[in-house]
């Protein structure tokens, strides 16, 4: 099941939609047609996951054979999770990216955070803020938490995953290297494009079969299997949930492989007019233009 948060008509509020045939069906329409009141009024995947697994199962039932009411071409995407409680990011989780960054493998797992204000949907602009001259991309697999998780073991960790999507861990390298904390280097507005869809965990490929490709202006820059992660998704969830309670809709960005601009000579920093596309096998393609600040 592919889930998206789409703007419909002139309404400023996105609604939860499910991929069906050649387009999307609005969950609000499916809910009213099936008398599933619990599914009415959902804006995004976070709200669905907060209702629990029975709601996801119910949606799967009512979505079978649904007629698409919105074509793929007409879809305007919000981030599939609009307001996650947290976006926990993992740094330096691919050996070849550590090498291109001129660093050595850290002894501890590197975690940092982004804010909900970083999120933009598929097709929305990444702003090259005036305060950076070194804007970079990082294609990553994003895990969306499906149910509350506290102190879960790695063996149980995949049970708390609600689904998977794609995130661009946009980075301002000059700020990241000049400031002790990475907040401005990593968490400026628009620095977390997310989407286009969340594939629910039951339908997703095994993580080791997923591959990340990042394409800038038509040129492949990153191309690596998710099996190359140093700390696997179950181990990451176990590590984070040891002391940070994960809630439905929370997002974990799992790290980027090599091929970022910072690792190239000279670095082809992102500029307004550039386009970044990130593909993850079995999920889709997240594309965002880079735009000048307004
Ligand atoms: Mg990253």
């Amino acid at each position: 099941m592919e889930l998206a948060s789409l703007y419909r008509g002139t309404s400023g509020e996105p609604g939860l939609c499910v991929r069906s045939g050649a387009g999307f069906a609005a969950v609000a329409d499916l809910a009213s047609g099936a008398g599933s009141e619990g599914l009415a009024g959902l804006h995004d995947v976070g709200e669905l996951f907060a209702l629990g697994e029975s709601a996801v199962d119910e949606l799967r039932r009512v979505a079978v054979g649904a007629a698409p009411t919105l074509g793929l071409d007409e879809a305007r995407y919000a981030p599939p999770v609009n307001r996650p409680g947290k976006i926990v990011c993992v740094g330096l989780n691919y050996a070849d990216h550590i090498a291109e960054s001129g660093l050595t493998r850290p002894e501890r797992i590197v975690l940092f955070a982004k804010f909900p204000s970083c999120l933009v949907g598929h097709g929305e602009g990444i702003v090259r803020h005036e305060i950076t001259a070194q804007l970079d991309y990082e294609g990553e697999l994003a895990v969306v938490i499906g149910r509350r998780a506290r102190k879960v073991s790695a063996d149980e960790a995949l049970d708390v995953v609600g689904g998977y999507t794609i995130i661009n861990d946009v980075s301002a390298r000059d700020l990241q290297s000049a400031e002790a904390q990475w907040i401005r280097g990593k968490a400026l507005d628009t620095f977390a494009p997310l989407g286009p869809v969340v594939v629910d965990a039951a339908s997703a490929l095994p993580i080791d079969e997923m591959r990340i490709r990042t394409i800038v202006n038509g040129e492949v820059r990153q191309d690596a299997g998710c099996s190359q992660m140093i700390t696997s998704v179950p181990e990451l969830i176990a590590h984070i949930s040891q002391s940070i309670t994960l809630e439905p809709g929370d997002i974990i960005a799992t790290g980027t492989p090599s091929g970022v601009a910072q690792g190239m000579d000279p670095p082809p920093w992102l500029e307004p007019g550039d386009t970044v596309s990130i593909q993850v096998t079995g999920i889709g393609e997240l594309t965002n233009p880079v735009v000048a600040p307004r």
Side-chain angles (χ1 to χ4, degrees), residues 49 109 146 207 245:
F49 287 172
I109 296 171
I207 294 165
T245 301

Side-chain angles (χ1 to χ4, degrees), residues 26-65:
V27 171
D29 297 344
L30 299 177
S32 64
S36 299
E37 287 172 19
L39 295 176
L42 298 177
H43 298 96
D44 75 330
V45 179
E47 290 180 358
L48 173 68
F49 287 172
L51 293 177
E53 278 165 64
S54 61
V56 178
D57 291 341
E58 187 175 351
L59 176 56
R60 198 175 284 115
R61 274 198 305 277
V62 303
V64 171

Side-chain angles (χ1 to χ4, degrees), residues 199-276:
V199 175
D200 73 302
S203 325
L205 287 174
I207 294 165
D208 283 357
E209 293 178 23
M210 296 180 187
R211 196 166 184 87
I212 299 173
R213 293 177 89 226
T214 302
I215 298 152
V216 180
N217 302 332
E219 179 190 353
V220 177
R221 297 274 183 83
Q222 298 187 283
D223 188 0
C226 291
S227 60
Q228 294 178 31
M229 283 182 206
I230 292 171
T231 305
S232 69
V233 168
E235 291 167 326
L236 289 173
I237 292 170
H239 176 72
I240 296 165
S241 74
Q242 195 60 34
S243 47
I244 299 171
T245 301
L246 293 168
E247 303 281 357
D250 283 353
I251 290 163
I252 301 173
T254 57
T256 202
S258 66
V260 299
Q262 183 185 39
M264 301 168 76
D265 185 21
W269 304 120
L270 295 174
E271 298 290 346
D274 289 343
T275 300
V276 185

